[in-house]
Amino acid sequence: MNQPVIEINNLNFTYERTKVLENINLTVEPGSFLGLVGPNGSGKTTLLKCLLGLLKPQQGEIKLFGQQIHKFKNWHEIGFVSQKANSFNTGFPASVFEVVSSGLTSKLGLFKLMSKNDRQKVLEAIEAVGLKEFTRRNIGELSGGQQQRTFIARAIVSEPKLLILDEPTVGVDAKTVQNFYEMLMKLNRQLGITLILVTHDVGTITDKVTHVACINKHLHFHGNSQEFESLKEDEMSEFYGHSLHVLTHSH
Ligand SMILES: Nc1ncnc2c1ncn2[C@@H]1O[C@H](COP(=O)(O)OP(=O)(O)O)[C@@H](O)[C@H]1O
Ligand SMILES: [Mg+2]
């Protein structure tokens, strides 16, 4: 049975008086790599917080792996890397290996020794994000992009079925961003992890993702990447209220 990883029906979310999400309907199929795009303040993080059960929408339904969110218990199946991971205290004295291992502690218990099998999992996660030669490096001595990869390795070490990334490449230079997206593509294709990548940088992801969803309070578009690419620039501008050029180059 190939049920959707996520099913959102008629979701509405309001902070105090400001309506941030209106009538969102979105389905994410297993194995897909969804780029969730929209300008700053368009409700992307709010939508993720609803999906993670951190915010309760006033209206609508969310199902995770076929189950109503309020009954869902398998949170270990969902990995999350927040926007804030890259402002992590880099003076913290921990190696890549140690940070990634901490992704297992909920399962391990804090003071239990790691089994050989767990060590192997940690090494595989580090290799999957392309940091093998930095395994013993202190994370304070890594670039922003490498630190972000470390947090992704920590999120995937517990073998989630779904990985959600909220603007992981803010402050990372263009070339590194491309490598970073290639790495995500591999996680999606080779490990079969369903991915949701939130970004306001719409221009650079279309050849990496399988699907795109554009939100700006409403869901303006949802389709596969070919359908997205065939959208005209003026249609895009209409969604965002300003030109695509501004959208893809502003921070
Ligand atoms: N805790 C909050 N209380 C009130 N308004 C908020 C809160 N968090 C976000 N907002 C507002 O909701 C809107 C959407 O925010 P957000 O989901 O963070 O957008 P994005 O992630 O797309 O940049 C913005 O206008 C923002 O100012
Ligand atoms: Mg955000």
Side-chain angles (χ1 to χ4, degrees):
M1 193 173 66
N2 249 2
Q3 67 196 358
V5 171
I6 290 174
E7 211 181 316
I8 300 172
N9 292 311
N10 190 28
L11 181 126
N12 287 269
F13 186 87
T14 306
Y15 289 109
E16 277 128 46
R17 294 228 184 86
T18 351
K19 194 158 223 186
V20 174
L21 298 170
E22 196 164 334
N23 194 23
I24 305 285
N25 294 286
L26 182 66
T27 299
V28 180
E29 299 293 344
S32 54
F33 182 176
L34 174 71
L36 179 63
V37 300
N40 286 324
S42 57
K44 304 183 296 297
T45 299
T46 303
L47 181 60
L48 295 190
K49 285 182 174 168
C50 291
L51 290 177
L52 294 166
L54 301 171
L55 290 174
K56 201 173 176 303
Q58 286 79 9
Q59 230 187 75
E61 178 189 64
I62 299 174
K63 284 185 183 172
L64 301 172
F65 301 99
Q67 201 162 38
Q68 296 285 350
I69 192 167
H70 58 271
K71 290 190 185 145
F72 184 74
K73 297 211 169 58
N74 300 332
W75 289 103
H76 63 272
E77 291 180 348
I78 303 178
F80 176 59
V81 178
S82 82
Q83 210 167 356
K84 293 200 183 79
N86 48 10
S87 58
F88 184 81
N89 176 8
T90 51
F92 189 71
S95 68
V96 169
F97 186 88
E98 287 166 332
V99 172
V100 176
S101 300
S102 71
L104 285 171
T105 46
S106 53
K107 235 167 83 188
L108 279 175
L110 212 48
F111 299 104
K112 281 199 195 125
L113 285 175
M114 286 177 85
S115 67
K116 205 171 167 185
N117 185 33
D118 284 332
R119 290 185 158 271
Q120 191 54 38
K121 277 187 189 162
V122 170
L123 293 174
E124 280 167 13
I126 292 171
E127 194 165 351
V129 300
L131 287 182
K132 195 177 175 189
E133 67 264 47
F134 301 100
T135 303
R136 295 290 163 190
R137 183 78 67 87
N138 191 309
I139 70 152
E141 295 158 15
L142 298 177
S143 71
Q146 289 165 337
Q147 284 171 4
Q148 200 61 332
R149 285 172 186 248
T150 307
F151 293 113
I152 290 170
R154 181 176 65 175
I156 64 171
V157 71
S158 55
E159 298 169 341
K161 293 182 183 161
L162 168 67
L163 179 63
I164 300 176
L165 303 128
D166 193 359
E167 308 221 33
T169 58
V170 167
V172 176
D173 67 84
K175 184 165 174 285
T176 312
V177 167
Q178 282 307 312
N179 292 335
F180 188 85
Y181 291 154
E182 303 266 321
M183 181 268 292
L184 292 180
M185 219 166 97
K186 278 193 197 151
L187 295 183
N188 173 243
R189 295 209 183 146
Q190 293 173 4
L191 304 182
I193 302 176
T194 305
L195 284 182
I196 300 180
L197 171 68
V198 167
T199 178
H200 60 261
D201 199 2
V202 69
T204 53
I205 57 156
T206 46
D207 58 334
K208 306 291 187 304
V209 298
T210 61
H211 293 79
V212 178
C214 302
I215 70 163
N216 197 355
K217 188 158 131 184
H218 299 97
L219 182 71
H220 289 284
F221 169 84
H222 179 222
N224 65 37
S225 35
Q226 287 85 347
E227 290 165 337
F228 179 72
E229 278 183 341
S230 67
L231 287 175
K232 302 265 171 9
E233 183 158 338
D234 54 331
E235 291 176 283
M236 285 300 300
S237 308
E238 201 183 306
F239 293 159
Y240 290 99
H242 53 64
S243 83
L244 188 60
H245 181 81
V246 172
L247 175 71
T248 53
H249 295 90
S250 63
H251 275 268

